[in-house]
Amino acid sequence: MAKTTKDERAALEAIDEAADAVSRAKKLRRSLPKKQGRKLDDAIDEARDAADVTKKRIRRAPRDVARTAERAARRLERAVAKVVAAVEHKERLRADARAAAEAAEAAERAAALRAEEAKAARKAARRAEKDAARAERAAELASDALTVQLAARPVEPDAEAEGALAAMTVAQLRAKARSEGRSGYSRLAKAALIDLLS
């Protein structure tokens, strides 16, 4: 049994790392969308080829095998990182789009609610205007009815007031008419002044 050299051990470790990278990349590929997973195929094949080396080749050129395996493993890891970053970026964009759609939907609901409230307020205002107009008409009718009632009622002179006026002199009657703000009293006789003041 031949001893393995330091370079051969390094080549074997590089081959194991490449094989582990292929295994991890295959597992990841199953969880990715097909389009993104296909981007890893070339790097997986290259790393698999670099890990699939005969013992004879390892003994003949261990440094070349190690370099090739390490390079293939690094390329595969970079490809995996790039694909994962792209998938995460797309997922963030989708999440942002969903959040924006939900915000837009909430804004639409709020706008519809405000429009509904405004419509209800306009309807209530129209109803209040109609009620006010009805009340105004009713007040006018009541006022007209009261005016008619008062006009139809005969005015009965107050007997006591008339007796007090009859006891006054013409000068006193004219002074009273002046204080009440009456006009055309200066030429009236006593009877006409009493009629005017009663």
Side-chain angles (χ1 to χ4, degrees), residues 39-114:
K39 292 180 181 180
L40 293 178
D41 287 345
D42 290 339
I44 289 173
D45 290 342
E46 183 183 347
R48 187 184 306 123
D49 290 345
D52 188 22
V53 179
T54 62
K55 290 180 182 178
K56 188 176 182 182
R57 177 147 166 77
I58 294 172
R59 266 186 258 123
R60 244 190 292 150
R63 287 184 180 173
D64 288 343
V65 170
R67 233 186 337 254
T68 305
E70 288 170 357
R71 196 176 303 131
R74 276 197 307 272
R75 280 191 195 131
L76 179 58
E77 287 169 2
R78 279 196 302 268
V80 166
K82 187 176 178 181
V83 167
V84 167
V87 168
E88 287 174 350
H89 179 68
K90 276 191 173 182
E91 191 54 41
R92 276 194 305 275
L93 290 177
R94 281 192 197 107
D96 291 346
R98 279 193 299 269
E102 288 171 3
E105 202 174 297
E108 283 179 20
R109 282 195 301 268
L113 183 63
R114 282 194 299 275

Side-chain angles (χ1 to χ4, degrees), residues 25 28-30 32-45 79 83:
L28 177 67
R29 188 184 187 293
R30 285 185 220 121
L32 293 174
K34 285 184 180 181
K35 185 177 179 182
Q36 297 296 334
R38 274 189 240 120
K39 292 180 181 180
L40 293 178
D41 287 345
D42 290 339
I44 289 173
D45 290 342
V83 167

Side-chain angles (χ1 to χ4, degrees), residues 105-175:
E105 202 174 297
E108 283 179 20
R109 282 195 301 268
L113 183 63
R114 282 194 299 275
E116 209 172 290
E117 288 171 353
K119 184 178 177 183
R122 286 193 299 272
K123 189 174 179 181
R126 283 194 301 269
R127 195 176 311 122
E129 283 178 16
K130 286 180 183 178
D131 290 345
R134 259 191 241 115
E136 193 173 322
R137 272 181 285 174
E140 285 175 6
L141 290 174
S143 175
D144 291 345
L146 183 61
T147 304
V148 168
Q149 275 184 340
L150 290 176
R153 196 184 297 166
V155 179
E156 297 175 7
D158 192 5
E160 288 180 18
E162 241 178 64
L165 289 175
M168 294 173 95
T169 65
V170 173
Q172 290 173 336
L173 288 172
R174 284 186 181 149

